[in-house]
Structures are given as C-alpha cells and as structure tokens.
Amino acid sequence: MTPQFDRIPMPRQTGIHDGIMLVDKPSGPTSHDVVAMVRRHFKFDKVGHGGTLDPQATGLLVILIERGTKLSSSFLNSDKTYEGVIRFGVSTDSQDAQGKVIREADCGNLTREALLDAMRGFTGDLMQAPPMVSAAKKDGVPLYKLARKGQTVERKARLIHVYGF
C-alpha cells in the first residue's frame, strides 16, 4: 500500500509550504521512500522526517517540509510513544513478526501478575542493541538491508528510557 497524496490539493506559492505534514505510513515503504514520494508529488526542494519508522512498521511519520526541516533535531530527540502486538511463546530469528520461527513455547500458565512483574524489568534506563531488522544504520547502511542479505554485524547498545507499558 502506498500513501495517496493526489487527494491533497496544495497550490504552489512561495513561503506557504514551510512546516510539517503528518503521514500515516503503511507497512512496506521505508521512511525515506515516503519522503521521496512527498518531494516528487509536491515538487518540494527540501523534505525530511522527524524519526525513522522501520519498513514493516505502520504509524505516524512526521514529514518536515522546506524550512520545517530545521526542526528535525527537535523531533529526533523527543520522546516517542509506540503501540504494538505481542505474540507470547514465539521467538523468531529476526526478533519481529516477519522472521522465521525458531522456538515455540506453551504460555498457557502465563498470568497477568507474572506479565506485569516481567514488564517492570523492561522500564527505566536500559541499554539496547538495535536488532538487525531495524532502520538503525551501520556505516551508512540500514541494518534491515544487511539483514535481508543474510549479514549480521556488531551493533553498539544505546541508552534508552522506557517510561512504561
């Protein structure tokens, strides 16, 4: 599915296009792909985004237009909120739903209390190494592109803060 920009009438006049566009990114295109689509469709000179979404991720992609691109560091350094779905008892080789299942376990005895207790261990300041399927880059190449070629590279853990679930 590709974002549909042809339904948005925008006259081209100098100065009125500086700012932010919010795009509901579908699964499939990269954040860079969406930026390129916006740039091409509206004939903008400068287009960027306020934070990468992995290609399989869906959700709000903040597109920065013309002088609005100067706001990129404000968005990149801001706190974010994510939603997701967890399938308990399944592990994949890529740590996401698209990977090959490498292990399955029965979670029939999982209780709400046990889950809440485990979640507490995943809040606060944590060191996190990005998975190979992420949009994080190694030597300028997104990790997911290397993963698609079957490559695994060393990734440095980064300090993250999880406020809660």
Side-chain angles (χ1 to χ4, degrees):
M1 189 161 143
T2 303
Q4 299 296 312
F5 301 114
D6 56 342
R7 297 183 206 144
I8 306 170
M10 292 188 67
R12 185 72 173 142
Q13 295 176 9
T14 305
I16 67 167
H17 296 92
D18 301 319
I20 298 169
M21 175 188 287
L22 304 178
V23 174
D24 185 3
K25 187 189 96 55
S27 180
T30 66
S31 297
H32 182 269
D33 292 340
V34 175
V35 165
M37 286 182 238
V38 169
R39 183 181 294 118
R40 261 192 322 271
H41 182 78
F42 294 112
K43 298 176 178 50
F44 292 134
D45 294 322
K46 292 169 67 177
V47 181
H49 59 76
T52 302
L53 288 175
D54 293 343
Q56 68 269 27
T58 63
L60 182 66
L61 183 63
V62 177
I63 300 293
L64 306 169
I65 301 165
E66 302 294 357
R67 289 186 296 179
T69 58
K70 294 179 182 182
L71 300 171
S72 67
S73 63
S74 297
F75 284 99
L76 293 172
N77 297 322
S78 296
D79 294 337
K80 318 279 189 307
T81 300
Y82 300 93
E83 289 184 19
V85 175
I86 298 174
R87 183 173 171 200
F88 294 105
V90 175
S91 296
T92 67
D93 60 353
S94 61
Q95 301 175 336
D96 68 2
Q98 280 70 41
K100 178 183 169 192
V101 174
I102 56 174
R103 190 176 51 150
E104 292 190 64
D106 178 18
C107 293
N109 60 351
L110 182 63
T111 65
R112 176 178 168 76
E113 293 75 27
L115 178 59
L116 292 173
D117 188 47
M119 287 168 43
R120 280 190 276 284
F122 290 102
T123 57
D125 287 337
L126 305 167
M127 294 301 291
Q128 179 189 59
M132 282 302 301
V133 293
S134 78
K137 293 181 179 178
K138 174 78 172 183
D139 300 327
V141 180
L143 293 176
Y144 67 84
K145 286 188 177 182
L146 298 173
R148 286 182 190 158
K149 294 177 184 177
Q151 298 176 13
T152 302
V153 296
E154 186 176 328
R155 286 124 25 229
K156 290 185 179 180
R158 304 177 194 176
L159 179 65
I160 63 165
H161 186 84
V162 177
Y163 293 97
F165 287 86

PDB file of all heavy atoms in Angstrom, residues 23 25 30-32 34-35 48-54 57 59-64 71-78 80 82 135-136:
ATOM      1  N   VAL A  23       1.959  11.901   8.059  1.00  0.00           N
ATOM      2  CA  VAL A  23       1.610  10.830   7.118  1.00  0.00           C
ATOM      3  C   VAL A  23       1.390   9.546   7.903  1.00  0.00           C
ATOM      4  O   VAL A  23       2.214   9.165   8.729  1.00  0.00           O
ATOM      5  CB  VAL A  23       2.729  10.627   6.068  1.00  0.00           C
ATOM      6  CG1 VAL A  23       2.443   9.426   5.185  1.00  0.00           C
ATOM      7  CG2 VAL A  23       2.908  11.890   5.226  1.00  0.00           C
ATOM      8  N   LYS A  25       1.948   6.185   7.713  1.00  0.00           N
ATOM      9  CA  LYS A  25       2.780   5.314   6.890  1.00  0.00           C
ATOM     10  C   LYS A  25       2.281   3.878   6.949  1.00  0.00           C
ATOM     11  O   LYS A  25       2.126   3.319   8.014  1.00  0.00           O
ATOM     12  CB  LYS A  25       4.236   5.352   7.358  1.00  0.00           C
ATOM     13  CG  LYS A  25       5.179   4.586   6.410  1.00  0.00           C
ATOM     14  CD  LYS A  25       6.565   4.449   6.977  1.00  0.00           C
ATOM     15  CE  LYS A  25       6.794   3.158   7.668  1.00  0.00           C
ATOM     16  NZ  LYS A  25       6.548   1.920   6.942  1.00  0.00           N
ATOM     17  N   THR A  30       9.880   2.450   3.140  1.00  0.00           N
ATOM     18  CA  THR A  30      10.750   2.996   4.167  1.00  0.00           C
ATOM     19  C   THR A  30      10.349   4.452   4.416  1.00  0.00           C
ATOM     20  O   THR A  30       9.633   5.061   3.605  1.00  0.00           O
ATOM     21  CB  THR A  30      12.226   2.963   3.720  1.00  0.00           C
ATOM     22  OG1 THR A  30      12.381   3.852   2.603  1.00  0.00           O
ATOM     23  CG2 THR A  30      12.668   1.553   3.345  1.00  0.00           C
ATOM     24  N   SER A  31      10.840   5.020   5.496  1.00  0.00           N
ATOM     25  CA  SER A  31      10.605   6.443   5.754  1.00  0.00           C
ATOM     26  C   SER A  31      11.191   7.275   4.619  1.00  0.00           C
ATOM     27  O   SER A  31      10.599   8.261   4.184  1.00  0.00           O
ATOM     28  CB  SER A  31      11.221   6.843   7.098  1.00  0.00           C
ATOM     29  OG  SER A  31      10.603   6.144   8.146  1.00  0.00           O
ATOM     30  N   HIS A  32      12.352   6.865   4.128  1.00  0.00           N
ATOM     31  CA  HIS A  32      12.981   7.563   3.002  1.00  0.00           C
ATOM     32  C   HIS A  32      12.110   7.494   1.757  1.00  0.00           C
ATOM     33  O   HIS A  32      12.003   8.474   1.002  1.00  0.00           O
ATOM     34  CB  HIS A  32      14.365   6.967   2.723  1.00  0.00           C
ATOM     35  CG  HIS A  32      15.076   7.666   1.618  1.00  0.00           C
ATOM     36  ND1 HIS A  32      14.981   7.269   0.301  1.00  0.00           N
ATOM     37  CD2 HIS A  32      15.874   8.756   1.625  1.00  0.00           C
ATOM     38  CE1 HIS A  32      15.705   8.076  -0.459  1.00  0.00           C
ATOM     39  NE2 HIS A  32      16.260   8.991   0.323  1.00  0.00           N
ATOM     40  N   VAL A  34       8.848   7.385   1.667  1.00  0.00           N
ATOM     41  CA  VAL A  34       7.736   8.324   1.855  1.00  0.00           C
ATOM     42  C   VAL A  34       8.222   9.754   1.630  1.00  0.00           C
ATOM     43  O   VAL A  34       7.547  10.554   0.967  1.00  0.00           O
ATOM     44  CB  VAL A  34       7.093   8.157   3.246  1.00  0.00           C
ATOM     45  CG1 VAL A  34       6.011   9.212   3.475  1.00  0.00           C
ATOM     46  CG2 VAL A  34       6.516   6.756   3.414  1.00  0.00           C
ATOM     47  N   VAL A  35       9.408  10.084   2.149  1.00  0.00           N
ATOM     48  CA  VAL A  35       9.986  11.416   1.927  1.00  0.00           C
ATOM     49  C   VAL A  35      10.136  11.674   0.427  1.00  0.00           C
ATOM     50  O   VAL A  35       9.772  12.738  -0.083  1.00  0.00           O
ATOM     51  CB  VAL A  35      11.347  11.554   2.657  1.00  0.00           C
ATOM     52  CG1 VAL A  35      12.123  12.763   2.158  1.00  0.00           C
ATOM     53  CG2 VAL A  35      11.131  11.647   4.161  1.00  0.00           C
ATOM     54  N   GLY A  48      12.259  16.174   4.744  1.00  0.00           N
ATOM     55  CA  GLY A  48      12.904  15.225   5.642  1.00  0.00           C
ATOM     56  C   GLY A  48      11.852  14.607   6.546  1.00  0.00           C
ATOM     57  O   GLY A  48      10.657  14.779   6.340  1.00  0.00           O
ATOM     58  N   HIS A  49      12.305  13.886   7.566  1.00  0.00           N
ATOM     59  CA  HIS A  49      11.349  13.310   8.512  1.00  0.00           C
ATOM     60  C   HIS A  49      11.867  13.472   9.930  1.00  0.00           C
ATOM     61  O   HIS A  49      13.047  13.697  10.162  1.00  0.00           O
ATOM     62  CB  HIS A  49      11.030  11.848   8.184  1.00  0.00           C
ATOM     63  CG  HIS A  49      12.212  10.939   8.192  1.00  0.00           C
ATOM     64  ND1 HIS A  49      12.814  10.495   9.344  1.00  0.00           N
ATOM     65  CD2 HIS A  49      12.905  10.397   7.174  1.00  0.00           C
ATOM     66  CE1 HIS A  49      13.819   9.709   9.041  1.00  0.00           C
ATOM     67  NE2 HIS A  49      13.906   9.638   7.725  1.00  0.00           N
ATOM     68  N   GLY A  50      10.962  13.336  10.875  1.00  0.00           N
ATOM     69  CA  GLY A  50      11.283  13.545  12.281  1.00  0.00           C
ATOM     70  C   GLY A  50      11.577  12.272  13.035  1.00  0.00           C
ATOM     71  O   GLY A  50      11.488  12.251  14.262  1.00  0.00           O
ATOM     72  N   GLY A  51      11.945  11.212  12.352  1.00  0.00           N
ATOM     73  CA  GLY A  51      12.280   9.951  13.001  1.00  0.00           C
ATOM     74  C   GLY A  51      11.872   8.785  12.133  1.00  0.00           C
ATOM     75  O   GLY A  51      10.768   8.747  11.601  1.00  0.00           O
ATOM     76  N   THR A  52      12.777   7.848  11.967  1.00  0.00           N
ATOM     77  CA  THR A  52      12.576   6.721  11.075  1.00  0.00           C
ATOM     78  C   THR A  52      11.623   5.690  11.652  1.00  0.00           C
ATOM     79  O   THR A  52      11.715   5.329  12.819  1.00  0.00           O
ATOM     80  CB  THR A  52      13.933   6.038  10.803  1.00  0.00           C
ATOM     81  OG1 THR A  52      14.822   7.002  10.250  1.00  0.00           O
ATOM     82  CG2 THR A  52      13.794   4.883   9.847  1.00  0.00           C
ATOM     83  N   LEU A  53      10.724   5.214  10.818  1.00  0.00           N
ATOM     84  CA  LEU A  53       9.916   4.030  11.129  1.00  0.00           C
ATOM     85  C   LEU A  53      10.463   2.890  10.287  1.00  0.00           C
ATOM     86  O   LEU A  53      10.734   3.064   9.100  1.00  0.00           O
ATOM     87  CB  LEU A  53       8.440   4.261  10.768  1.00  0.00           C
ATOM     88  CG  LEU A  53       7.642   5.197  11.656  1.00  0.00           C
ATOM     89  CD1 LEU A  53       6.239   5.391  11.075  1.00  0.00           C
ATOM     90  CD2 LEU A  53       7.551   4.661  13.060  1.00  0.00           C
ATOM     91  N   ASP A  54      10.638   1.733  10.889  1.00  0.00           N
ATOM     92  CA  ASP A  54      11.096   0.569  10.142  1.00  0.00           C
ATOM     93  C   ASP A  54      10.118   0.291   9.005  1.00  0.00           C
ATOM     94  O   ASP A  54       8.933   0.615   9.100  1.00  0.00           O
ATOM     95  CB  ASP A  54      11.188  -0.652  11.057  1.00  0.00           C
ATOM     96  CG  ASP A  54      12.285  -0.513  12.110  1.00  0.00           C
ATOM     97  OD1 ASP A  54      13.162   0.345  11.930  1.00  0.00           O
ATOM     98  OD2 ASP A  54      12.261  -1.265  13.091  1.00  0.00           O
ATOM     99  N   ALA A  57       6.889  -1.298   9.926  1.00  0.00           N
ATOM    100  CA  ALA A  57       6.090  -0.553  10.910  1.00  0.00           C
ATOM    101  C   ALA A  57       5.055   0.316  10.211  1.00  0.00           C
ATOM    102  O   ALA A  57       5.265   0.810   9.104  1.00  0.00           O
ATOM    103  CB  ALA A  57       6.994   0.318  11.776  1.00  0.00           C
ATOM    104  N   GLY A  59       2.279   3.662  11.053  1.00  0.00           N
ATOM    105  CA  GLY A  59       2.048   4.698  12.039  1.00  0.00           C
ATOM    106  C   GLY A  59       2.389   6.078  11.538  1.00  0.00           C
ATOM    107  O   GLY A  59       2.676   6.290  10.358  1.00  0.00           O
ATOM    108  N   LEU A  60       2.360   7.005  12.466  1.00  0.00           N
ATOM    109  CA  LEU A  60       2.549   8.412  12.161  1.00  0.00           C
ATOM    110  C   LEU A  60       4.009   8.705  11.824  1.00  0.00           C
ATOM    111  O   LEU A  60       4.906   8.470  12.628  1.00  0.00           O
ATOM    112  CB  LEU A  60       2.122   9.266  13.356  1.00  0.00           C
ATOM    113  CG  LEU A  60       2.205  10.772  13.175  1.00  0.00           C
ATOM    114  CD1 LEU A  60       1.208  11.237  12.128  1.00  0.00           C
ATOM    115  CD2 LEU A  60       1.945  11.460  14.497  1.00  0.00           C
ATOM    116  N   LEU A  61       4.233   9.206  10.625  1.00  0.00           N
ATOM    117  CA  LEU A  61       5.560   9.647  10.193  1.00  0.00           C
ATOM    118  C   LEU A  61       5.493  11.159  10.044  1.00  0.00           C
ATOM    119  O   LEU A  61       4.672  11.679   9.283  1.00  0.00           O
ATOM    120  CB  LEU A  61       5.947   8.984   8.867  1.00  0.00           C
ATOM    121  CG  LEU A  61       7.341   9.306   8.345  1.00  0.00           C
ATOM    122  CD1 LEU A  61       8.417   8.796   9.300  1.00  0.00           C
ATOM    123  CD2 LEU A  61       7.533   8.708   6.956  1.00  0.00           C
ATOM    124  N   VAL A  62       6.324  11.852  10.789  1.00  0.00           N
ATOM    125  CA  VAL A  62       6.354  13.311  10.746  1.00  0.00           C
ATOM    126  C   VAL A  62       7.252  13.731   9.590  1.00  0.00           C
ATOM    127  O   VAL A  62       8.453  13.446   9.579  1.00  0.00           O
ATOM    128  CB  VAL A  62       6.886  13.892  12.083  1.00  0.00           C
ATOM    129  CG1 VAL A  62       6.981  15.411  12.005  1.00  0.00           C
ATOM    130  CG2 VAL A  62       5.992  13.463  13.238  1.00  0.00           C
ATOM    131  N   ILE A  63       6.652  14.372   8.596  1.00  0.00           N
ATOM    132  CA  ILE A  63       7.375  14.844   7.416  1.00  0.00           C
ATOM    133  C   ILE A  63       7.634  16.338   7.586  1.00  0.00           C
ATOM    134  O   ILE A  63       6.719  17.104   7.882  1.00  0.00           O
ATOM    135  CB  ILE A  63       6.559  14.586   6.123  1.00  0.00           C
ATOM    136  CG1 ILE A  63       6.284  13.095   5.940  1.00  0.00           C
ATOM    137  CG2 ILE A  63       7.274  15.174   4.906  1.00  0.00           C
ATOM    138  CD1 ILE A  63       7.502  12.255   5.675  1.00  0.00           C
ATOM    139  N   LEU A  64       8.872  16.737   7.399  1.00  0.00           N
ATOM    140  CA  LEU A  64       9.290  18.133   7.549  1.00  0.00           C
ATOM    141  C   LEU A  64       9.541  18.712   6.165  1.00  0.00           C
ATOM    142  O   LEU A  64      10.227  18.096   5.341  1.00  0.00           O
ATOM    143  CB  LEU A  64      10.552  18.198   8.402  1.00  0.00           C
ATOM    144  CG  LEU A  64      10.418  17.491   9.760  1.00  0.00           C
ATOM    145  CD1 LEU A  64      11.761  17.352  10.437  1.00  0.00           C
ATOM    146  CD2 LEU A  64       9.432  18.214  10.643  1.00  0.00           C
ATOM    147  N   LEU A  71      13.592  21.706  12.019  1.00  0.00           N
ATOM    148  CA  LEU A  71      13.044  21.175  13.261  1.00  0.00           C
ATOM    149  C   LEU A  71      13.428  19.708  13.499  1.00  0.00           C
ATOM    150  O   LEU A  71      13.037  19.128  14.505  1.00  0.00           O
ATOM    151  CB  LEU A  71      11.518  21.287  13.244  1.00  0.00           C
ATOM    152  CG  LEU A  71      10.936  22.686  13.099  1.00  0.00           C
ATOM    153  CD1 LEU A  71       9.425  22.611  12.885  1.00  0.00           C
ATOM    154  CD2 LEU A  71      11.263  23.515  14.330  1.00  0.00           C
ATOM    155  N   SER A  72      14.185  19.125  12.593  1.00  0.00           N
ATOM    156  CA  SER A  72      14.432  17.682  12.670  1.00  0.00           C
ATOM    157  C   SER A  72      15.052  17.255  13.990  1.00  0.00           C
ATOM    158  O   SER A  72      14.640  16.254  14.571  1.00  0.00           O
ATOM    159  CB  SER A  72      15.281  17.206  11.497  1.00  0.00           C
ATOM    160  OG  SER A  72      16.578  17.740  11.571  1.00  0.00           O
ATOM    161  N   SER A  73      16.032  17.983  14.510  1.00  0.00           N
ATOM    162  CA  SER A  73      16.666  17.557  15.768  1.00  0.00           C
ATOM    163  C   SER A  73      15.684  17.603  16.932  1.00  0.00           C
ATOM    164  O   SER A  73      15.765  16.777  17.843  1.00  0.00           O
ATOM    165  CB  SER A  73      17.907  18.392  16.073  1.00  0.00           C
ATOM    166  OG  SER A  73      17.561  19.740  16.263  1.00  0.00           O
ATOM    167  N   SER A  74      14.724  18.536  16.885  1.00  0.00           N
ATOM    168  CA  SER A  74      13.715  18.592  17.948  1.00  0.00           C
ATOM    169  C   SER A  74      12.879  17.318  17.967  1.00  0.00           C
ATOM    170  O   SER A  74      12.579  16.773  19.022  1.00  0.00           O
ATOM    171  CB  SER A  74      12.792  19.793  17.754  1.00  0.00           C
ATOM    172  OG  SER A  74      13.510  20.987  17.856  1.00  0.00           O
ATOM    173  N   PHE A  75      12.513  16.826  16.787  1.00  0.00           N
ATOM    174  CA  PHE A  75      11.718  15.599  16.711  1.00  0.00           C
ATOM    175  C   PHE A  75      12.562  14.370  17.017  1.00  0.00           C
ATOM    176  O   PHE A  75      12.138  13.468  17.729  1.00  0.00           O
ATOM    177  CB  PHE A  75      11.066  15.462  15.332  1.00  0.00           C
ATOM    178  CG  PHE A  75       9.880  16.356  15.158  1.00  0.00           C
ATOM    179  CD1 PHE A  75      10.006  17.559  14.496  1.00  0.00           C
ATOM    180  CD2 PHE A  75       8.644  16.004  15.671  1.00  0.00           C
ATOM    181  CE1 PHE A  75       8.917  18.400  14.336  1.00  0.00           C
ATOM    182  CE2 PHE A  75       7.546  16.829  15.521  1.00  0.00           C
ATOM    183  CZ  PHE A  75       7.684  18.032  14.857  1.00  0.00           C
ATOM    184  N   LEU A  76      13.762  14.326  16.466  1.00  0.00           N
ATOM    185  CA  LEU A  76      14.609  13.153  16.659  1.00  0.00           C
ATOM    186  C   LEU A  76      14.968  12.952  18.134  1.00  0.00           C
ATOM    187  O   LEU A  76      15.113  11.817  18.586  1.00  0.00           O
ATOM    188  CB  LEU A  76      15.882  13.267  15.819  1.00  0.00           C
ATOM    189  CG  LEU A  76      15.672  13.206  14.313  1.00  0.00           C
ATOM    190  CD1 LEU A  76      16.962  13.535  13.574  1.00  0.00           C
ATOM    191  CD2 LEU A  76      15.157  11.842  13.885  1.00  0.00           C
ATOM    192  N   ASN A  77      15.100  14.028  18.872  1.00  0.00           N
ATOM    193  CA  ASN A  77      15.487  13.943  20.285  1.00  0.00           C
ATOM    194  C   ASN A  77      14.306  13.911  21.237  1.00  0.00           C
ATOM    195  O   ASN A  77      14.490  13.908  22.450  1.00  0.00           O
ATOM    196  CB  ASN A  77      16.422  15.103  20.636  1.00  0.00           C
ATOM    197  CG  ASN A  77      17.714  15.052  19.858  1.00  0.00           C
ATOM    198  OD1 ASN A  77      18.258  13.981  19.618  1.00  0.00           O
ATOM    199  ND2 ASN A  77      18.204  16.201  19.430  1.00  0.00           N
ATOM    200  N   SER A  78      13.093  13.887  20.714  1.00  0.00           N
ATOM    201  CA  SER A  78      11.898  13.889  21.563  1.00  0.00           C
ATOM    202  C   SER A  78      11.493  12.475  21.968  1.00  0.00           C
ATOM    203  O   SER A  78      11.857  11.496  21.308  1.00  0.00           O
ATOM    204  CB  SER A  78      10.721  14.532  20.808  1.00  0.00           C
ATOM    205  OG  SER A  78      10.999  15.875  20.536  1.00  0.00           O
ATOM    206  N   LYS A  80       9.018   9.346  22.313  1.00  0.00           N
ATOM    207  CA  LYS A  80       8.069   8.768  21.365  1.00  0.00           C
ATOM    208  C   LYS A  80       7.165   7.780  22.094  1.00  0.00           C
ATOM    209  O   LYS A  80       7.517   7.248  23.134  1.00  0.00           O
ATOM    210  CB  LYS A  80       8.800   7.992  20.255  1.00  0.00           C
ATOM    211  CG  LYS A  80      10.039   8.644  19.684  1.00  0.00           C
ATOM    212  CD  LYS A  80       9.744   9.682  18.657  1.00  0.00           C
ATOM    213  CE  LYS A  80      10.939  10.211  17.920  1.00  0.00           C
ATOM    214  NZ  LYS A  80      12.059  10.724  18.641  1.00  0.00           N
ATOM    215  N   TYR A  82       4.894   4.231  21.277  1.00  0.00           N
ATOM    216  CA  TYR A  82       4.699   3.165  20.298  1.00  0.00           C
ATOM    217  C   TYR A  82       3.576   2.255  20.746  1.00  0.00           C
ATOM    218  O   TYR A  82       3.334   2.092  21.934  1.00  0.00           O
ATOM    219  CB  TYR A  82       5.979   2.322  20.148  1.00  0.00           C
ATOM    220  CG  TYR A  82       7.170   3.117  19.692  1.00  0.00           C
ATOM    221  CD1 TYR A  82       8.050   3.676  20.604  1.00  0.00           C
ATOM    222  CD2 TYR A  82       7.410   3.315  18.337  1.00  0.00           C
ATOM    223  CE1 TYR A  82       9.142   4.410  20.186  1.00  0.00           C
ATOM    224  CE2 TYR A  82       8.502   4.039  17.909  1.00  0.00           C
ATOM    225  CZ  TYR A  82       9.369   4.592  18.843  1.00  0.00           C
ATOM    226  OH  TYR A  82      10.440   5.314  18.416  1.00  0.00           O
ATOM    227  N   ALA A 135      15.926   0.084  11.395  1.00  0.00           N
ATOM    228  CA  ALA A 135      16.347   1.109  10.445  1.00  0.00           C
ATOM    229  C   ALA A 135      17.629   1.798  10.896  1.00  0.00           C
ATOM    230  O   ALA A 135      18.154   2.644  10.179  1.00  0.00           O
ATOM    231  CB  ALA A 135      15.236   2.141  10.265  1.00  0.00           C
ATOM    232  N   ALA A 136      18.160   1.431  12.066  1.00  0.00           N
ATOM    233  CA  ALA A 136      19.435   1.987  12.519  1.00  0.00           C
ATOM    234  C   ALA A 136      20.496   1.662  11.471  1.00  0.00           C
ATOM    235  O   ALA A 136      20.410   0.653  10.775  1.00  0.00           O
ATOM    236  CB  ALA A 136      19.814   1.396  13.872  1.00  0.00           C
TER     237      ALA A 136
END
